[in-house]
Amino acid sequence: MVLYTTPYPSACLHFLDGLSWSLVFPCYWLLDRLLASCVATSLEKRRRSQDPCSFLSLCVLVSVPLYLLFFLLSLPFGLLGFLLWAPLQAVRQPYLYTYSRPDKHQAEQGAAGPGGAGSAEWRPQGRSFCFCSANVCLLPDALARFNNLTDTQSRAREVGRRIRNGASRPQIKIYIDSPTNTSISAASFSSLAAGFRRTSSLDQRPEPSHVTNGPTDTEAEPPTHECPAHPSGAADCPLHQGPSDCPLHSEGADGSTPCPLHSAGGDGGGGSDCPMHSPTSDCPLHNPGVQISISAPEPDPQDEEGDAESGNPRGQDGAGDTGSMGESYTRYHAAGDAGGTYSNNTLSHVPRTSIFKRPGGRKRRHGDDGFDHDVSAFFPANLDFLALQEVFDHGSTTRLRQQLHRYFPYVLSDVGRYGWKGCGSSFKFLNSGLMLASRYPILDARFQCYPNGRGEDALASKGALFAKVQVGTSHQDQRVVGYLTSTHLHAIEGDASVRCEQLDLLLQWGAEFRQSSFRSGEGEKVLEDLVAFDVILGDLNFDNCSSEDKLEQQHALFTQYKDPCRLGPGEDKPWALGTLLDQSGLYDEEANSPESLQKVMENEEARKEYLVFPPSKAQSHGGGGGQKGRKIPLKGNGRRIDYILYSDEGLQPDWKLDIEEFSFVTQLAGITDHLSVAARLAVSTGEEEP
């Protein structure tokens, strides 16, 4: 089990690679800018139509001849560098493993690291883990423009910042020893965490195996959220004495109060400053049956520079505080030739609410699905594993990795092969585009390239990245591990047989990796690994509803792995959404921010304007282009091509893997053409909680 921490086995080869790339880069950059100048995004076309004599149009007319001239001058040096670079790829490692030492907050929260969560003792009752998959479309700028996206390197930094901000939000846990309804919305607790910058716990409890996380489905609950302090329909709540007296539901809670629940002592007592603790009544939240835990990560000091770049310098709200805990957004102006505008969420402290009820089990909000599902404007709090696709651009990889390392200690990046080695007969100009980030130590990793790529897909070394992570240690010093697979399948429509062959290889390679990396108890001091989960994440480039994808829908993959959104071949669950966005609507005001896109996705009619749907006969005769504005009857909820699959086979006897929640995430609105998907899985061991 060797993890490659450098791209080449020797410093000399690394130097030659840098030298060759320094010769190639000017030619590559000029060609990219030349092609990018010829392909305009819909936002640029809109601006040019409004002002034909705009400065942007003038820049294009001047820059194109200059790019062409300098490209021709740099071409001989580029060819020389390419001749030096290509042979080196035969000895280049298939991925780069990087580790960033956890900061103070990560150490306090038990983040993965030596002596951290990865080596922490495994709780007998089990644990839950959160997974996310996102296609971020970080192609070279000229290629990204064909997806109506631009300014790749600025988007890469913004993607990393948004993911980190969403995952590091505060987490609110409420334990209710009551048979009453526990349905609640995270938005109801926006004012609870106002002013919290450090971990504040009213009552710490071990994390149970059943969790309700994240904001609720707005279609399931009205905008005025249920009060967490009393059962639904109660009329004698001491908090609701008037229409604006509730300290939980008021929008204008005083941020200067140390804690909106209790006095600064944090002991749950009835301090005189607490709006709920009157001398003559018991606290409705701090009775013996209800305990609340609020944890908020301390803001990263390294964000000060990044926030200043995005027009939101710290200090405006005083002492680096973020001010309101509500869902606020600022506008992000990308620094590039196109001058594109993206919607940015720089506020990381919107709380995630979790409800735990015992005894009697947890009441579900969504019928017979057995788990919670929603559309969320934020990535899940306490995200454990992140799989990204289409991270092709080299400079974008570096920027994205730097952002992710502020939350994820362990990252596998620059995954794939270049040249001809081990990846079919076609020369590979791009790597696989895969990136995997983890809060838990990575023990082993392997990349396998699909050898059957066709057309333009053959230019990239698409494949599968397998990783083994350690998530704990049992009381008998046995390692508790999990297996992750990240992949991106062939994209060209009509090539179902190619994707099925790749799925066959995916299952075969996964079985081989688990067998080769599994530690069995052969020696006296070597104990067998305990497997907690086996998860596949990625962009499979087919959906479960299109008639053209019937072959993939019936693949054996879905007999070995479970799809939380799937009822069967050709039929998704009613709440499942498509993840492929209509590129023509990326810059529309209704869908270019996380909050607005969330509202669109929650509306059955509105989302038909912004999701890509399976092609119909009417569309096939209607020519190319986007579907936005067409009067075509659309069935279903769009093409869902991004997946999180899990298998409970191969786990320890009596261990069980259950899904707790599934989310469609809109936080990357305006900077990619996919919705992200996230799922939280609970590993239960069958043992009772002590």
Side-chain angles (χ1 to χ4, degrees), residues 109-129 206-207 440-441 470-481 530 532 655 683 685 687-688 690:
Q109 295 297 318
S119 57
E121 184 175 352
W122 177 259
R123 290 195 295 267
Q125 69 273 17
R127 187 181 296 174
S128 64
F129 302 94
E207 184 172 348
Y440 293 86
Q470 182 177 355
V471 296
T473 304
S474 72
H475 62 281
Q476 297 178 346
D477 291 332
Q478 291 177 280
R479 296 189 310 189
V480 182
V481 302
L530 304 177
W655 285 29
V683 183
T685 63
E687 299 182 32
E688 294 294 333

Side-chain angles (χ1 to χ4, degrees), residues 594-609:
E595 187 178 34
S596 60
L597 185 58
Q598 178 194 27
K599 294 179 180 178
V600 167
M601 292 297 111
E602 290 173 339
N603 187 289
E604 184 175 358
E605 291 301 321
R607 61 176 172 248
K608 292 182 179 180
E609 294 288 328

Side-chain angles (χ1 to χ4, degrees), residues 347-524:
L347 183 62
S348 65
H349 301 298
V350 176
R352 163 178 171 262
T353 304
S354 301
I355 306 300
F356 307 98
K357 185 179 68 171
R358 53 172 100 85
R362 180 163 58 94
K363 186 174 181 178
R364 303 294 183 178
R365 295 198 309 266
H366 301 287
D368 298 330
D369 290 320
F371 58 90
D372 296 315
H373 45 78
D374 61 6
V375 181
S376 174
F378 299 94
F379 283 92
N382 295 339
L383 181 61
D384 295 307
F385 305 102
L386 173 69
L388 300 178
Q389 301 87 46
E390 294 196 11
V391 188
F392 289 114
D393 185 72
H394 181 73
S396 300
T397 300
T398 302
R399 286 169 170 79
L400 179 57
R401 184 173 57 230
Q402 290 173 348
Q403 289 292 328
L404 293 180
H405 263 316
R406 298 182 185 179
Y407 179 81
F408 295 99
Y410 306 91
V411 175
L412 295 172
S413 60
D414 202 9
V415 179
R417 298 285 189 181
Y418 296 94
W420 286 284
K421 181 183 177 182
C423 205
S425 57
S426 300
F427 188 90
K428 306 300 178 184
F429 292 93
L430 299 173
N431 61 18
S432 69
L434 300 176
M435 179 180 285
L436 184 66
S438 171
R439 293 180 67 195
Y440 293 86
I442 298 175
L443 301 176
D444 194 11
R446 179 184 301 175
F447 172 77
Q448 296 281 2
C449 182
Y450 296 128
N452 60 343
R454 296 180 185 176
E456 60 269 24
D457 256 26
L459 300 177
S461 61
K462 285 189 174 181
L465 174 64
F466 304 93
K468 178 181 180 180
V469 295
Q470 182 177 355
V471 296
T473 304
S474 72
H475 62 281
Q476 297 178 346
D477 291 332
Q478 291 177 280
R479 296 189 310 189
V480 182
V481 302
Y483 290 99
L484 299 168
T485 301
S486 176
T487 189
H488 190 188
L489 298 188
H490 187 70
I492 299 177
E493 295 183 5
D495 286 347
S497 59
V498 174
R499 283 186 286 273
C500 286
E501 291 175 7
Q502 293 177 350
L503 290 177
D504 292 337
L505 292 172
L506 182 70
L507 293 177
Q508 175 186 337
W509 292 336
E512 293 174 353
F513 174 75
R514 290 188 294 273
Q515 183 177 2
S516 63
S517 64
F518 186 77
R519 184 173 70 173
S520 59
E522 296 178 355
E524 293 182 0

Side-chain angles (χ1 to χ4, degrees), residues 593-636:
S593 73
E595 187 178 34
S596 60
L597 185 58
Q598 178 194 27
K599 294 179 180 178
V600 167
M601 292 297 111
E602 290 173 339
N603 187 289
E604 184 175 358
E605 291 301 321
R607 61 176 172 248
K608 292 182 179 180
E609 294 288 328
Y610 293 97
L611 288 176
V612 174
F613 282 75
S616 63
K617 293 182 180 179
Q619 287 175 302
S620 61
H621 293 291
Q627 65 192 15
K628 188 176 183 298
R630 295 187 179 185
K631 303 300 181 181
I632 300 174
L634 300 174
K635 297 181 179 180

Side-chain angles (χ1 to χ4, degrees), residues 43 66 187 216 326 441 445 535 652:
L43 181 62
L66 292 177
T216 60
V535 177
Q652 301 308 118

